[in-house]
Amino acid sequence: MNIPKTLLDGYKQFQDTQLAGQAALYRQLAEGQNPKIMLIGCADSRVDPSTIFSAAPGQLFTVRNVANLTPPYEENGGYHGTSAAIEFAVQFLKVEHIVVMGHGQCGGIAASLAAANSRPTGKFIAPWVDMIAETRDAVLAENPGASPEKLQNALEFAAIRHSLRNLQSFPFIESAIAEKRLQLHGAWFAIASGELHWLGVDNQFEKIS
């Protein structure tokens, strides 16, 4: 079998350690899943939600995409992978929390900023990050003369807020929030320091100590 060695070694380690110690849990999970939290994260290989939150199998229902973006509610047109995951989590799994988690040095956010300067971003990446074009333009207008690093960071935060607004455009999410069955959260992870920042009721991000 042509399995990359990294994956094969990791699987063997999983069998010898995690699976051996959690056999009962995996048998239970085979009967179904009941996570209370959905996490919408970035596809970036450096930001693994299960690692960051020390989550056991079955605890997080996770969807990951470029720049951890949530599209607005749309009934027609295109493929809706992220929207389908959101619908399944809320309507069928009845999750109680949805967390949109961004991170530092996000390539998708950098692509959005590059698009503002007409630099190439990729055939499929460009229309995806165009979802936050208005938010990006607002960040640029609010930060004239700012350094690339500051703009990157500001848009990473703003994109999380943007995705949270888009989540509220889904009728079933709006209903679940009104019935106090669901809460929405924003988070941002600093790769270099390993620090997590959480979006507070004042709509500002604060480092978790």
Side-chain angles (χ1 to χ4, degrees), residues 111-121 136:
S112 176
L113 290 168
N117 295 316
S118 300
R119 297 202 302 272
T121 57
R136 176 204 63 214

Side-chain angles (χ1 to χ4, degrees), residues 53-170:
F53 293 104
S54 301
Q59 285 189 321
L60 296 179
F61 183 76
T62 304
V63 60
R64 299 173 70 176
N65 60 45
V66 172
N68 44 269
L69 298 180
T70 298
Y73 177 77
E74 294 177 332
E75 292 189 357
N76 303 308
Y79 293 99
H80 299 284
T82 298
S83 298
I86 293 166
E87 181 182 44
F88 185 70
V90 176
Q91 297 286 71
F92 296 92
L93 296 178
K94 307 296 184 184
V95 297
E96 298 172 2
H97 303 272
I98 299 178
V99 180
V100 177
M101 186 177 75
H103 67 94
Q105 294 80 48
C106 179
I109 295 300
S112 176
L113 290 168
N117 295 316
S118 300
R119 297 202 302 272
T121 57
K123 180 178 180 179
F124 298 105
I125 297 171
W128 178 254
V129 299
D130 189 59
M131 195 187 310
I132 56 169
E134 287 189 15
T135 293
R136 176 204 63 214
D137 292 345
V139 166
L140 291 172
E142 292 165 4
N143 296 275
S147 68
E149 292 79 11
K150 182 177 180 179
L151 290 174
Q152 169 87 19
N153 190 242
L155 186 53
E156 286 165 358
F157 287 137
I160 295 168
R161 297 187 185 99
H162 177 102
S163 284
L164 290 170
R165 290 193 297 271
N166 279 351
L167 279 173
Q168 294 177 69
S169 70
F170 287 74

Side-chain angles (χ1 to χ4, degrees), residues 182-196:
L182 178 67
Q183 296 181 52
L184 305 184
H185 310 275
W188 179 87
F189 182 73
I191 295 175
S193 64
E195 294 173 337
L196 184 69

Side-chain angles (χ1 to χ4, degrees), residues 172-182:
F172 54 84
I173 288 183
E174 184 181 30
S175 297
I177 293 173
E179 295 166 9
K180 301 188 184 305
R181 295 186 287 108
L182 178 67

